[in-house]
Amino acid sequence: MSGNGMRLDAIERISQGRDVRLPPAKPVSEIFGSHVFTLQKMKAQLPKESYDSLKNTIETGAQLDPNVAAVVADAMKNWAISMGATHYAHVFYPLTGATAEKHDSFYNPDRKNGGVIAKFSGRELTQSEPDASSFPNGGLRSTFEARGYTAWDCSSPAYIKETANGSTLCIPTAFVSWTGEALDKKTPVMRSTAALDRAARRVLKLFGHKSIAPITSSCGAEQEYFLVDRGFYLARPDLVLAGRTLFGAMPAKGQQFDDHYFGAIPRRVQVYMQEVEQELFKLGVPVKTRHNEVAPGQFEIAPIFETSNVATDHQQLVMITLKEVARKHGFACLLHEKPFDGVNGSGKHVNWSLGNSTQGNLFDPGDTPHANAQFLVFCAAVIRGVHLYGKVLRAMVATAGNDHRLGANEAPPAIMSVFLGDQLSDVFDQIRKGGATGSKKAGMLDIGVDSLPVLPRDAGDRNRTSPFAFTGNRFEFRAVGSAQSVASPITALNTIMADSLDFVADRLEEEMNGGKKLNAAIQTVIQEILRKHSAAIFNGDGYSRAWVEEAARRKLPNLRTCAEALPVLRDKDVAELYSHLRVLTKTELESRFEIYAEQYVKSVDVEAKLCVQMFKTQIYPAAVRWTGELAENIACAGRAGAKLDKSVVTTLARLTEKARKLVAKIEKSLASAKDEPLEKAMAERGRLLAAMGELRETVDLVEREMPDDMWPLPTYQEMLFLK
Ligand code: ADP
Ligand code: MG
């Protein structure tokens, strides 16, 4: 009967509509952070001097006292064991973008008394040595130079990871080579935060601030994802191995009704979301928002923003938790940027701001932005940064998956620009013309129905088509891919901003040394920035053709694919930017280029091989079987005097043959494809992707001609609409 029993089984299970039931949920106030070794817990369990010393390290980045580490380790171990932990793991974030962990037991043989004894030294807490040679290092290490170290990041809290069979104490760490080079994504985030602090502090001092707490950036990352029933997922080799469908005809209904966005959340999905949230609450991740996204089967989860380093680690936990809990609920969670052709893909909007505990949010314009010189200076620094180094932002979101999304009329274009909105654009316009004297008012919104409240209206509308939009008190970087770690985009934002703030501080100092008062100096410097860098400001429709042309006139780079965007990391000015701010050395940056380029090449190769395999083992056999059967049956009917049109047979045969030839072509390019030099390899993979696209179009036409019971793959209709 059916070409694929799994499809029918999955449909049968879905039709029974069973939800996974959890024990009644405890109040959030009770579970929030229950699995985290929080500052409160440390305060209760550590001697006062040790606690104060650790807190100082966490808050100011001061050197960690090894004696304190020993005391903390002991307290951490006792807490972890009381939570059922038997092991501890240094968790780190290699350049694959994934999360890595090496587990060790607390227990050692007790040589004196027999049995075992639980031990966890300060040294074990602060340092561990996973073999570095098996992680991508982009030429930073040879295989024979294998040493790598993980180092405890005490500013990101340790937590307990629970499974049905026990618990593990997880310790966030930085991962560096024996020579001190960053092999991970966390180290650059921390280094860029330090650079940002140094530069922002200089500017704040010029504004006369005396007490300035450490400045960090904050990040709130909105994560989009798809859910498909696990039965369908497991029957699709492309979803399992590549995370996206390589074939699949669009069903009669797609997202044309716009009826999914913010729609009522399907019950089974909501049950799943609630468990995800409970797990994240335990881990201290402040998740806040849940809703349906634009495409059928697409959803979003967003936490409240936190300091970038912690938010980055928490973002990794969000992705892991979404995937793990999905399995339990009979779903697969797809984080890929473009799992389905023909409907929207997924992104991860990174909301980013700067601030500290003494000066607050430095991107907060207040009610009268024109009079808020400090805010305007920070904003101008952003404009300069995006204009000079938009290409770096673009490079840091370049992945094979994101290539399918950026610039595809559903996601921001690959051209990096800043959206300021009406109010701010107006203020900057005034400054450009001589001086700002007023701000457009926010005002009230009268809905015209007496029983409805009068709503305060924001001073400007939103723009969903800008890659980098000011949204009231933060910037929203909307080009980040859904499967990506937010670490590299955040590092880039921090680094670019540090550079711009240093520039601003230098220029203000110069002007003031030349005799200008602060306000006059500010006016001069902002005007200068606007004169040189306004090209980066764009408030119009970022999806339009006209913008692509206008951006070209403005000489803004339009780096459409990885092959164009990643080589930016080799540009001299970019190496200089990262190295002079001590975020990444030239060698470290070069290693990033190599690793990201290799990842791109490898993922395209995997997809191409999968195309060939799926075609040969599933699609071609089904198509040939049906063509033969159809031809025979038409002939048979003809003998019985019933004349049936044969054109379906010829259409099918033509399409199948066309697809077979395309597959042969893909196989040939795969066999001859080279991996070096990387720029060439990436361009080659671009051509391979084009061939795969042509194959896909042809196969999707075959699918439309096939009887449902013979089609070997779960269909788009099943995956997108059956929940
Ligand atoms: P949207 O309307 O853009 O979809 P959401 O409510 O889904 O907004 O998400 C907005 C994100 O921005 C949240 O993670 C929120 O915590 C974060 N955010 C709010 N204020 C700031 C800020 N000052 N700095 C960084 N992130 C912020
Ligand atoms: Mg949102």
Side-chain angles (χ1 to χ4, degrees), residues 555-584:
K555 299 202 168 48
L556 297 179
N558 181 6
L559 308 169
R560 274 156 305 197
T561 61
C562 286
E564 292 171 69
L566 285 175
V568 162
L569 303 182
R570 288 184 151 172
D571 288 356
K572 234 171 132 197
D573 58 333
V574 177
E576 175 58 23
L577 168 77
Y578 273 80
S579 60
H580 94 266
L581 290 165
R582 285 175 271 153
V583 177
L584 288 171

PDB file of all heavy atoms in Angstrom, residues 555-584:
ATOM      1  N   LYS A 555      27.062  53.421  -2.142  1.00  0.00           N
ATOM      2  CA  LYS A 555      28.261  52.586  -1.973  1.00  0.00           C
ATOM      3  C   LYS A 555      28.197  51.707  -0.728  1.00  0.00           C
ATOM      4  O   LYS A 555      29.211  51.408  -0.083  1.00  0.00           O
ATOM      5  CB  LYS A 555      29.528  53.447  -1.937  1.00  0.00           C
ATOM      6  CG  LYS A 555      29.754  54.250  -3.203  1.00  0.00           C
ATOM      7  CD  LYS A 555      31.230  54.613  -3.322  1.00  0.00           C
ATOM      8  CE  LYS A 555      31.584  55.165  -4.677  1.00  0.00           C
ATOM      9  NZ  LYS A 555      30.690  56.226  -5.189  1.00  0.00           N
ATOM     10  N   LEU A 556      26.991  51.312  -0.344  1.00  0.00           N
ATOM     11  CA  LEU A 556      26.871  50.359   0.775  1.00  0.00           C
ATOM     12  C   LEU A 556      27.045  48.958   0.195  1.00  0.00           C
ATOM     13  O   LEU A 556      26.439  48.632  -0.822  1.00  0.00           O
ATOM     14  CB  LEU A 556      25.493  50.470   1.432  1.00  0.00           C
ATOM     15  CG  LEU A 556      25.151  51.794   2.095  1.00  0.00           C
ATOM     16  CD1 LEU A 556      23.746  51.742   2.683  1.00  0.00           C
ATOM     17  CD2 LEU A 556      26.163  52.130   3.188  1.00  0.00           C
ATOM     18  N   PRO A 557      27.857  48.124   0.842  1.00  0.00           N
ATOM     19  CA  PRO A 557      28.048  46.778   0.292  1.00  0.00           C
ATOM     20  C   PRO A 557      26.754  45.960   0.338  1.00  0.00           C
ATOM     21  O   PRO A 557      25.969  46.092   1.269  1.00  0.00           O
ATOM     22  CB  PRO A 557      29.112  46.153   1.203  1.00  0.00           C
ATOM     23  CG  PRO A 557      29.357  47.107   2.313  1.00  0.00           C
ATOM     24  CD  PRO A 557      28.651  48.383   2.039  1.00  0.00           C
ATOM     25  N   ASN A 558      26.556  45.150  -0.700  1.00  0.00           N
ATOM     26  CA  ASN A 558      25.420  44.237  -0.737  1.00  0.00           C
ATOM     27  C   ASN A 558      25.991  42.829  -0.914  1.00  0.00           C
ATOM     28  O   ASN A 558      26.155  42.345  -2.028  1.00  0.00           O
ATOM     29  CB  ASN A 558      24.499  44.619  -1.902  1.00  0.00           C
ATOM     30  CG  ASN A 558      23.269  43.720  -1.973  1.00  0.00           C
ATOM     31  OD1 ASN A 558      23.054  42.890  -1.090  1.00  0.00           O
ATOM     32  ND2 ASN A 558      22.470  43.874  -3.024  1.00  0.00           N
ATOM     33  N   LEU A 559      26.337  42.211   0.208  1.00  0.00           N
ATOM     34  CA  LEU A 559      27.040  40.927   0.176  1.00  0.00           C
ATOM     35  C   LEU A 559      26.000  39.823   0.330  1.00  0.00           C
ATOM     36  O   LEU A 559      25.574  39.508   1.430  1.00  0.00           O
ATOM     37  CB  LEU A 559      28.087  40.876   1.294  1.00  0.00           C
ATOM     38  CG  LEU A 559      29.030  42.090   1.305  1.00  0.00           C
ATOM     39  CD1 LEU A 559      29.868  42.135   2.573  1.00  0.00           C
ATOM     40  CD2 LEU A 559      29.919  42.071   0.067  1.00  0.00           C
ATOM     41  N   ARG A 560      25.573  39.275  -0.812  1.00  0.00           N
ATOM     42  CA  ARG A 560      24.378  38.435  -0.812  1.00  0.00           C
ATOM     43  C   ARG A 560      24.571  37.041  -0.226  1.00  0.00           C
ATOM     44  O   ARG A 560      23.633  36.453   0.291  1.00  0.00           O
ATOM     45  CB  ARG A 560      23.807  38.330  -2.222  1.00  0.00           C
ATOM     46  CG  ARG A 560      22.858  39.489  -2.545  1.00  0.00           C
ATOM     47  CD  ARG A 560      22.771  39.696  -4.015  1.00  0.00           C
ATOM     48  NE  ARG A 560      24.111  39.893  -4.538  1.00  0.00           N
ATOM     49  CZ  ARG A 560      24.378  40.405  -5.726  1.00  0.00           C
ATOM     50  NH1 ARG A 560      23.401  40.728  -6.519  1.00  0.00           N
ATOM     51  NH2 ARG A 560      25.622  40.578  -6.126  1.00  0.00           N
ATOM     52  N   THR A 561      25.772  36.506  -0.342  1.00  0.00           N
ATOM     53  CA  THR A 561      25.959  35.116   0.103  1.00  0.00           C
ATOM     54  C   THR A 561      27.205  35.011   0.975  1.00  0.00           C
ATOM     55  O   THR A 561      28.012  35.939   1.056  1.00  0.00           O
ATOM     56  CB  THR A 561      26.169  34.189  -1.109  1.00  0.00           C
ATOM     57  OG1 THR A 561      27.358  34.643  -1.777  1.00  0.00           O
ATOM     58  CG2 THR A 561      24.991  34.239  -2.061  1.00  0.00           C
ATOM     59  N   CYS A 562      27.371  33.827   1.569  1.00  0.00           N
ATOM     60  CA  CYS A 562      28.567  33.562   2.373  1.00  0.00           C
ATOM     61  C   CYS A 562      29.826  33.805   1.560  1.00  0.00           C
ATOM     62  O   CYS A 562      30.804  34.347   2.065  1.00  0.00           O
ATOM     63  CB  CYS A 562      28.570  32.107   2.843  1.00  0.00           C
ATOM     64  SG  CYS A 562      27.388  31.794   4.153  1.00  0.00           S
ATOM     65  N   ALA A 563      29.783  33.383   0.290  1.00  0.00           N
ATOM     66  CA  ALA A 563      30.973  33.497  -0.547  1.00  0.00           C
ATOM     67  C   ALA A 563      31.410  34.959  -0.673  1.00  0.00           C
ATOM     68  O   ALA A 563      32.591  35.254  -0.806  1.00  0.00           O
ATOM     69  CB  ALA A 563      30.704  32.909  -1.929  1.00  0.00           C
ATOM     70  N   GLU A 564      30.440  35.880  -0.622  1.00  0.00           N
ATOM     71  CA  GLU A 564      30.787  37.296  -0.707  1.00  0.00           C
ATOM     72  C   GLU A 564      31.057  37.898   0.671  1.00  0.00           C
ATOM     73  O   GLU A 564      31.878  38.789   0.820  1.00  0.00           O
ATOM     74  CB  GLU A 564      29.647  38.082  -1.366  1.00  0.00           C
ATOM     75  CG  GLU A 564      29.443  37.759  -2.824  1.00  0.00           C
ATOM     76  CD  GLU A 564      28.179  38.400  -3.369  1.00  0.00           C
ATOM     77  OE1 GLU A 564      28.146  39.630  -3.496  1.00  0.00           O
ATOM     78  OE2 GLU A 564      27.212  37.658  -3.652  1.00  0.00           O
ATOM     79  N   ALA A 565      30.323  37.406   1.688  1.00  0.00           N
ATOM     80  CA  ALA A 565      30.371  38.059   3.001  1.00  0.00           C
ATOM     81  C   ALA A 565      31.539  37.598   3.875  1.00  0.00           C
ATOM     82  O   ALA A 565      32.164  38.409   4.553  1.00  0.00           O
ATOM     83  CB  ALA A 565      29.047  37.834   3.737  1.00  0.00           C
ATOM     84  N   LEU A 566      31.835  36.290   3.868  1.00  0.00           N
ATOM     85  CA  LEU A 566      32.854  35.801   4.807  1.00  0.00           C
ATOM     86  C   LEU A 566      34.252  36.367   4.544  1.00  0.00           C
ATOM     87  O   LEU A 566      34.988  36.650   5.497  1.00  0.00           O
ATOM     88  CB  LEU A 566      32.861  34.273   4.838  1.00  0.00           C
ATOM     89  CG  LEU A 566      31.678  33.657   5.601  1.00  0.00           C
ATOM     90  CD1 LEU A 566      31.684  32.132   5.484  1.00  0.00           C
ATOM     91  CD2 LEU A 566      31.711  34.066   7.076  1.00  0.00           C
ATOM     92  N   PRO A 567      34.660  36.555   3.279  1.00  0.00           N
ATOM     93  CA  PRO A 567      36.002  37.092   3.050  1.00  0.00           C
ATOM     94  C   PRO A 567      36.241  38.465   3.697  1.00  0.00           C
ATOM     95  O   PRO A 567      37.388  38.894   3.836  1.00  0.00           O
ATOM     96  CB  PRO A 567      36.098  37.169   1.520  1.00  0.00           C
ATOM     97  CG  PRO A 567      35.182  36.095   1.047  1.00  0.00           C
ATOM     98  CD  PRO A 567      34.036  36.118   2.013  1.00  0.00           C
ATOM     99  N   VAL A 568      35.161  39.151   4.097  1.00  0.00           N
ATOM    100  CA  VAL A 568      35.300  40.415   4.827  1.00  0.00           C
ATOM    101  C   VAL A 568      36.226  40.236   6.036  1.00  0.00           C
ATOM    102  O   VAL A 568      36.982  41.137   6.406  1.00  0.00           O
ATOM    103  CB  VAL A 568      33.896  40.890   5.295  1.00  0.00           C
ATOM    104  CG1 VAL A 568      34.001  41.915   6.398  1.00  0.00           C
ATOM    105  CG2 VAL A 568      33.108  41.422   4.115  1.00  0.00           C
ATOM    106  N   LEU A 569      36.154  39.034   6.644  1.00  0.00           N
ATOM    107  CA  LEU A 569      36.963  38.789   7.840  1.00  0.00           C
ATOM    108  C   LEU A 569      38.455  38.825   7.528  1.00  0.00           C
ATOM    109  O   LEU A 569      39.286  38.836   8.434  1.00  0.00           O
ATOM    110  CB  LEU A 569      36.594  37.450   8.485  1.00  0.00           C
ATOM    111  CG  LEU A 569      35.117  37.311   8.870  1.00  0.00           C
ATOM    112  CD1 LEU A 569      34.856  35.978   9.545  1.00  0.00           C
ATOM    113  CD2 LEU A 569      34.705  38.446   9.806  1.00  0.00           C
ATOM    114  N   ARG A 570      38.789  38.828   6.243  1.00  0.00           N
ATOM    115  CA  ARG A 570      40.200  38.913   5.854  1.00  0.00           C
ATOM    116  C   ARG A 570      40.603  40.333   5.503  1.00  0.00           C
ATOM    117  O   ARG A 570      41.762  40.573   5.180  1.00  0.00           O
ATOM    118  CB  ARG A 570      40.451  38.023   4.641  1.00  0.00           C
ATOM    119  CG  ARG A 570      40.419  36.562   4.992  1.00  0.00           C
ATOM    120  CD  ARG A 570      40.771  35.723   3.810  1.00  0.00           C
ATOM    121  NE  ARG A 570      41.395  34.491   4.277  1.00  0.00           N
ATOM    122  CZ  ARG A 570      41.676  33.468   3.482  1.00  0.00           C
ATOM    123  NH1 ARG A 570      41.423  33.550   2.199  1.00  0.00           N
ATOM    124  NH2 ARG A 570      42.244  32.389   3.983  1.00  0.00           N
ATOM    125  N   ASP A 571      39.637  41.265   5.499  1.00  0.00           N
ATOM    126  CA  ASP A 571      39.972  42.650   5.138  1.00  0.00           C
ATOM    127  C   ASP A 571      40.901  43.254   6.178  1.00  0.00           C
ATOM    128  O   ASP A 571      40.758  43.000   7.378  1.00  0.00           O
ATOM    129  CB  ASP A 571      38.699  43.506   5.028  1.00  0.00           C
ATOM    130  CG  ASP A 571      37.880  43.155   3.795  1.00  0.00           C
ATOM    131  OD1 ASP A 571      38.354  42.309   2.999  1.00  0.00           O
ATOM    132  OD2 ASP A 571      36.772  43.707   3.651  1.00  0.00           O
ATOM    133  N   LYS A 572      41.806  44.077   5.690  1.00  0.00           N
ATOM    134  CA  LYS A 572      42.814  44.657   6.573  1.00  0.00           C
ATOM    135  C   LYS A 572      42.191  45.531   7.665  1.00  0.00           C
ATOM    136  O   LYS A 572      42.575  45.450   8.842  1.00  0.00           O
ATOM    137  CB  LYS A 572      43.769  45.513   5.742  1.00  0.00           C
ATOM    138  CG  LYS A 572      45.203  45.103   5.959  1.00  0.00           C
ATOM    139  CD  LYS A 572      46.125  45.775   5.003  1.00  0.00           C
ATOM    140  CE  LYS A 572      47.288  46.328   5.846  1.00  0.00           C
ATOM    141  NZ  LYS A 572      48.044  47.317   5.136  1.00  0.00           N
ATOM    142  N   ASP A 573      41.216  46.360   7.271  1.00  0.00           N
ATOM    143  CA  ASP A 573      40.619  47.258   8.267  1.00  0.00           C
ATOM    144  C   ASP A 573      39.867  46.479   9.345  1.00  0.00           C
ATOM    145  O   ASP A 573      39.794  46.903  10.494  1.00  0.00           O
ATOM    146  CB  ASP A 573      39.698  48.283   7.588  1.00  0.00           C
ATOM    147  CG  ASP A 573      38.582  47.640   6.780  1.00  0.00           C
ATOM    148  OD1 ASP A 573      38.764  46.500   6.312  1.00  0.00           O
ATOM    149  OD2 ASP A 573      37.518  48.271   6.633  1.00  0.00           O
ATOM    150  N   VAL A 574      39.351  45.312   8.973  1.00  0.00           N
ATOM    151  CA  VAL A 574      38.601  44.509   9.944  1.00  0.00           C
ATOM    152  C   VAL A 574      39.572  43.851  10.933  1.00  0.00           C
ATOM    153  O   VAL A 574      39.346  43.853  12.152  1.00  0.00           O
ATOM    154  CB  VAL A 574      37.735  43.454   9.224  1.00  0.00           C
ATOM    155  CG1 VAL A 574      37.007  42.573  10.226  1.00  0.00           C
ATOM    156  CG2 VAL A 574      36.749  44.141   8.294  1.00  0.00           C
ATOM    157  N   ALA A 575      40.672  43.340  10.406  1.00  0.00           N
ATOM    158  CA  ALA A 575      41.687  42.736  11.277  1.00  0.00           C
ATOM    159  C   ALA A 575      42.199  43.792  12.251  1.00  0.00           C
ATOM    160  O   ALA A 575      42.380  43.534  13.447  1.00  0.00           O
ATOM    161  CB  ALA A 575      42.826  42.177  10.439  1.00  0.00           C
ATOM    162  N   GLU A 576      42.392  45.006  11.720  1.00  0.00           N
ATOM    163  CA  GLU A 576      42.881  46.107  12.554  1.00  0.00           C
ATOM    164  C   GLU A 576      41.857  46.449  13.644  1.00  0.00           C
ATOM    165  O   GLU A 576      42.194  46.621  14.815  1.00  0.00           O
ATOM    166  CB  GLU A 576      43.158  47.306  11.626  1.00  0.00           C
ATOM    167  CG  GLU A 576      43.564  48.587  12.302  1.00  0.00           C
ATOM    168  CD  GLU A 576      44.825  48.430  13.166  1.00  0.00           C
ATOM    169  OE1 GLU A 576      45.632  47.490  12.928  1.00  0.00           O
ATOM    170  OE2 GLU A 576      44.983  49.249  14.076  1.00  0.00           O
ATOM    171  N   LEU A 577      40.583  46.505  13.253  1.00  0.00           N
ATOM    172  CA  LEU A 577      39.505  46.809  14.202  1.00  0.00           C
ATOM    173  C   LEU A 577      39.515  45.818  15.370  1.00  0.00           C
ATOM    174  O   LEU A 577      39.522  46.201  16.542  1.00  0.00           O
ATOM    175  CB  LEU A 577      38.154  46.733  13.472  1.00  0.00           C
ATOM    176  CG  LEU A 577      36.902  46.742  14.343  1.00  0.00           C
ATOM    177  CD1 LEU A 577      36.617  48.151  14.834  1.00  0.00           C
ATOM    178  CD2 LEU A 577      35.677  46.214  13.569  1.00  0.00           C
ATOM    179  N   TYR A 578      39.515  44.524  15.040  1.00  0.00           N
ATOM    180  CA  TYR A 578      39.439  43.508  16.088  1.00  0.00           C
ATOM    181  C   TYR A 578      40.722  43.441  16.913  1.00  0.00           C
ATOM    182  O   TYR A 578      40.674  43.168  18.109  1.00  0.00           O
ATOM    183  CB  TYR A 578      39.140  42.126  15.486  1.00  0.00           C
ATOM    184  CG  TYR A 578      37.662  41.856  15.314  1.00  0.00           C
ATOM    185  CD1 TYR A 578      36.965  42.384  14.221  1.00  0.00           C
ATOM    186  CD2 TYR A 578      36.952  41.083  16.233  1.00  0.00           C
ATOM    187  CE1 TYR A 578      35.608  42.149  14.063  1.00  0.00           C
ATOM    188  CE2 TYR A 578      35.591  40.848  16.076  1.00  0.00           C
ATOM    189  CZ  TYR A 578      34.925  41.379  14.987  1.00  0.00           C
ATOM    190  OH  TYR A 578      33.581  41.147  14.833  1.00  0.00           O
ATOM    191  N   SER A 579      41.865  43.649  16.254  1.00  0.00           N
ATOM    192  CA  SER A 579      43.107  43.450  17.008  1.00  0.00           C
ATOM    193  C   SER A 579      43.441  44.668  17.871  1.00  0.00           C
ATOM    194  O   SER A 579      43.869  44.505  19.011  1.00  0.00           O
ATOM    195  CB  SER A 579      44.261  43.088  16.078  1.00  0.00           C
ATOM    196  OG  SER A 579      44.458  44.113  15.149  1.00  0.00           O
ATOM    197  N   HIS A 580      43.188  45.894  17.370  1.00  0.00           N
ATOM    198  CA  HIS A 580      43.622  47.014  18.212  1.00  0.00           C
ATOM    199  C   HIS A 580      42.737  47.136  19.452  1.00  0.00           C
ATOM    200  O   HIS A 580      43.162  47.645  20.482  1.00  0.00           O
ATOM    201  CB  HIS A 580      43.752  48.321  17.411  1.00  0.00           C
ATOM    202  CG  HIS A 580      42.542  49.195  17.423  1.00  0.00           C
ATOM    203  ND1 HIS A 580      41.597  49.144  16.444  1.00  0.00           N
ATOM    204  CD2 HIS A 580      42.126  50.138  18.296  1.00  0.00           C
ATOM    205  CE1 HIS A 580      40.640  50.023  16.710  1.00  0.00           C
ATOM    206  NE2 HIS A 580      40.934  50.635  17.836  1.00  0.00           N
ATOM    207  N   LEU A 581      41.515  46.600  19.372  1.00  0.00           N
ATOM    208  CA  LEU A 581      40.652  46.607  20.564  1.00  0.00           C
ATOM    209  C   LEU A 581      40.841  45.347  21.418  1.00  0.00           C
ATOM    210  O   LEU A 581      40.118  45.125  22.377  1.00  0.00           O
ATOM    211  CB  LEU A 581      39.192  46.765  20.140  1.00  0.00           C
ATOM    212  CG  LEU A 581      38.862  48.158  19.596  1.00  0.00           C
ATOM    213  CD1 LEU A 581      37.542  48.151  18.860  1.00  0.00           C
ATOM    214  CD2 LEU A 581      38.846  49.187  20.723  1.00  0.00           C
ATOM    215  N   ARG A 582      41.796  44.524  21.020  1.00  0.00           N
ATOM    216  CA  ARG A 582      42.143  43.293  21.743  1.00  0.00           C
ATOM    217  C   ARG A 582      40.959  42.323  21.855  1.00  0.00           C
ATOM    218  O   ARG A 582      40.750  41.688  22.882  1.00  0.00           O
ATOM    219  CB  ARG A 582      42.707  43.622  23.130  1.00  0.00           C
ATOM    220  CG  ARG A 582      44.139  44.148  23.060  1.00  0.00           C
ATOM    221  CD  ARG A 582      44.627  44.590  24.413  1.00  0.00           C
ATOM    222  NE  ARG A 582      44.316  45.984  24.678  1.00  0.00           N
ATOM    223  CZ  ARG A 582      44.146  46.510  25.881  1.00  0.00           C
ATOM    224  NH1 ARG A 582      44.234  45.720  26.950  1.00  0.00           N
ATOM    225  NH2 ARG A 582      43.891  47.792  26.042  1.00  0.00           N
ATOM    226  N   VAL A 583      40.169  42.240  20.797  1.00  0.00           N
ATOM    227  CA  VAL A 583      39.049  41.293  20.783  1.00  0.00           C
ATOM    228  C   VAL A 583      39.489  39.994  20.121  1.00  0.00           C
ATOM    229  O   VAL A 583      39.298  38.905  20.663  1.00  0.00           O
ATOM    230  CB  VAL A 583      37.830  41.902  20.060  1.00  0.00           C
ATOM    231  CG1 VAL A 583      36.692  40.892  19.986  1.00  0.00           C
ATOM    232  CG2 VAL A 583      37.363  43.161  20.791  1.00  0.00           C
ATOM    233  N   LEU A 584      40.096  40.107  18.935  1.00  0.00           N
ATOM    234  CA  LEU A 584      40.657  38.930  18.265  1.00  0.00           C
ATOM    235  C   LEU A 584      41.937  39.357  17.566  1.00  0.00           C
ATOM    236  O   LEU A 584      41.964  40.411  16.909  1.00  0.00           O
ATOM    237  CB  LEU A 584      39.689  38.390  17.210  1.00  0.00           C
ATOM    238  CG  LEU A 584      38.418  37.682  17.697  1.00  0.00           C
ATOM    239  CD1 LEU A 584      37.490  37.409  16.514  1.00  0.00           C
ATOM    240  CD2 LEU A 584      38.723  36.385  18.420  1.00  0.00           C
TER     241      LEU A 584
END
